[in-house]
Amino acid sequence: MFTQEQKVTQRTKSTLLIEGEAELTYYEHAFDMLRSAALSPDDSLAFRQQTIDSIAQEEELNE
């Protein structure tokens, strides 16, 4: 199917064929950076709740 140096990743609207060690390392690094910047599930829920509360409070002030 694919050689050891070829990897395939699904994107939202297309497929990307990654060839070669340097390109694979680039995408691994980019993914690691995104993952390290992501909130934990609990922090994500808290952030969303804070945002909802903030919007609701702003709407109350504008009424």
Side-chain angles (χ1 to χ4, degrees):
M1 185 168 168
F2 295 101
T3 68
Q4 192 158 358
E5 291 188 355
Q6 293 178 321
K7 305 292 180 193
V8 175
T9 182
Q10 294 292 325
R11 299 187 308 179
T12 55
K13 293 188 177 189
S14 64
T15 300
L16 175 66
L17 175 63
I18 301 171
E19 296 186 83
E21 194 66 31
E23 190 175 13
L24 179 59
T25 300
Y26 171 83
Y27 282 102
E28 285 176 335
H29 178 69
F31 180 76
D32 288 342
M33 288 177 55
L34 286 171
R35 184 176 42 216
S36 70
L39 296 173
S40 70
D42 288 341
D43 288 343
S44 181
L45 287 171
F47 175 75
R48 291 190 302 181
Q49 189 60 54
Q50 289 171 352
T51 302
I52 291 167
D53 294 345
S54 176
I55 292 170
Q57 185 178 30
E58 189 174 311
E59 288 177 350
E60 286 177 10
L61 292 174
N62 290 331
E63 288 180 355

